[in-house]
Amino acid sequence: MGKPKALVTRPLFPAARAILDECFDAEYWTSAERIPRAELLRRVADKEALVCLLTEKVDEELLAAAPKLRIVATMSVGYDNIDVPACTRRKIVATHTPGVLDETTADFAWTLLMAIARRLVEGDAWVRAGTWPGWDLDQLLGGDVWGKTLGIIGFGRIGRGVARRAQGFRMRVLYHDAVRAPRDVESEFHAEFAERDRLLAESDFVSLHVPLLPETRHLIGKEALEKMKRTAYLINTSRGPVVDEAALARALEEKKIAGAALDVYEREPEVHPALLARKDVILAPHIASATVETRTNMAVMAARNAAALFQGRRPPNALNADALGL
Ligand code: DGY
């Protein structure tokens, strides 16, 4: 009997390919362009496994086009690209890659936080333009980071990683989450639970670490932005639609907050045009987990998830394992 067939929507990395090639007759999408939707639907038709990225939408249409599919393994911790209930209805396992990117993403939230507070990107552009006249007293004055209040919305693994790093900066840490963390976790991270409005009102930096769910869509909109300090900065490394970009652009224009640093957008790769022109915004291209080590680990994890099912094991990071009785 031949190996099961898998479609892999990127060439991934050698370590992940080795796992996939051992287990599957794997077909890789190798073009530099992202796989077009029609091509994805056509190629997945005879596959039993799909290893994909967050850019591939796994919805009813795709599942209907893939009658042999038994597992969808996304190489991301966020899985808003997958209709998990639809997978469950069709007895298809859905997996993601939790844990391996937490520290790297927390590092990047801090990269953005420091860069927006200290106006690093503006400074870099000035020096490169050749118009910087040399040191002066009041050039590019930013805001202090050390000793300030950091508000973390979403206190899961990544949010906690961001909190841990704040200790080195002697910051006060507030957090908000749908579920309050146990007291020992709060004391381990020196973090104080706060209702969302208090967090917004007291924080000098608000960093977002929630998954995209119906209840987190536009969590930060006009009303939330108006509660923030005029001197505060917003950092988003979670999912774009958690922030209402139009409301953010208006709040910045009206100087309701001091600045924002974003890694994710409502309609990637598009960015709200009013944000593109602003100097008080840093725009990163969704790279919070983009280190060689972490992306390799994520690819290996996705490959192991897909392979496990066909090796008779429960995929370690299955989202619907209980619903499927695995
Ligand atoms: C994820 O994994 O969800 C990130 O957005 C990309 O690493």
Side-chain angles (χ1 to χ4, degrees):
M1 217 173 76
K3 292 178 184 173
K5 290 185 175 185
L7 176 63
V8 189
T9 62
R10 270 284 180 271
L12 300 184
F13 301 100
R17 277 207 302 274
I19 296 165
L20 291 169
D21 292 341
E22 196 185 322
C23 180
F24 296 104
D25 170 8
E27 178 182 329
Y28 297 89
W29 178 258
T30 55
S31 159
E33 304 291 313
R34 184 162 301 145
I35 187 166
R37 178 77 179 171
E39 198 63 38
L40 175 63
L41 296 184
R42 194 176 70 73
R43 289 182 188 236
V44 81
D46 62 342
K47 304 298 187 298
E48 288 159 86
L50 172 65
V51 180
C52 65
L53 309 182
L54 57 86
T55 43
E56 277 87 54
K57 212 168 178 43
V58 179
D59 53 9
E60 285 282 6
E61 182 191 36
L62 183 140
L63 299 175
K68 297 185 174 170
L69 204 58
R70 292 185 54 207
I71 188 162
V72 176
T74 186
M75 200 194 108
S76 56
V77 64
Y79 51 89
D80 44 287
N81 57 320
I82 302 179
D83 183 341
V84 179
C87 287
T88 307
R89 283 195 295 278
R90 291 172 188 265
K91 303 210 178 335
I92 296 170
V93 183
T95 69
H96 68 146
T97 58
V100 282
L101 45 67
D102 301 344
E103 298 300 332
T104 301
T105 303
D107 278 353
F108 195 71
W110 267 92
T111 305
L112 290 179
L113 188 157
M114 297 291 287
I116 189 68
R118 301 305 305 272
R119 306 179 64 178
L120 177 64
V121 176
E122 281 178 82
D124 179 85
W126 196 12
V127 174
R128 283 173 201 275
T131 53
W132 174 54
W135 192 91
D136 210 342
L137 187 66
D138 55 356
Q139 286 169 356
L140 291 182
L141 301 183
D144 266 335
V145 172
W146 73 273
K148 292 286 182 71
T149 298
L150 170 63
I152 297 174
I153 300 188
F155 203 53
R157 292 180 309 266
I158 299 173
R160 291 174 195 191
V162 171
R164 192 184 307 109
R165 286 156 175 76
Q167 295 317 306
F169 289 85
R170 290 191 274 151
M171 293 177 97
R172 170 182 175 232
V173 178
L174 300 177
Y175 78 92
H176 181 75
D177 198 290
V179 182
R180 186 171 173 170
R183 293 296 153 91
D184 59 323
V185 172
E186 290 184 348
S187 53
E188 180 186 345
F189 292 93
H190 304 274
E192 175 189 338
F193 179 81
E195 290 304 335
R196 196 193 63 145
D197 287 358
R198 178 161 83 86
L199 180 147
L200 292 171
E202 293 183 15
S203 298
D204 300 295
F205 299 91
V206 174
S207 191
L208 306 176
H209 302 285
V210 291
L212 178 60
L213 300 168
E215 52 276 28
T216 59
R217 186 172 290 273
H218 284 190
L219 183 73
I220 303 296
K222 180 175 186 297
E223 189 214 344
L225 289 159
E226 280 176 357
K227 296 203 160 95
M228 288 173 65
K229 292 184 182 178
R230 285 188 179 264
T231 49
Y233 297 92
L234 177 71
I235 321 297
N236 189 12
T237 51
S238 63
R239 280 291 183 265
V242 173
V243 175
D244 177 346
E245 283 179 14
L248 174 62
R250 261 195 314 275
L252 288 163
E253 183 61 28
E254 292 166 8
K255 305 230 170 297
K256 296 260 162 69
I257 66 169
L262 310 174
D263 185 44
V264 286
Y265 305 93
E266 276 193 83
R267 281 168 288 276
E268 292 179 15
E270 284 167 39
V271 178
H272 193 290
L275 293 175
L276 287 173
R278 302 200 63 88
K279 287 193 173 160
D280 49 7
V281 181
I282 291 178
L283 304 168
H286 201 152
I287 51 170
S289 68
T291 64
V292 173
E293 299 91 333
T294 291
R295 287 283 165 87
T296 304
N297 289 337
M298 289 166 72
V300 165
M301 197 172 199
R304 286 198 179 127
N305 278 325
L309 186 70
F310 295 89
Q311 291 162 344
R313 289 179 291 114
R314 172 189 169 128
N317 309 106
L319 292 158
N320 51 0
D322 291 344
L324 292 176
L326 291 176

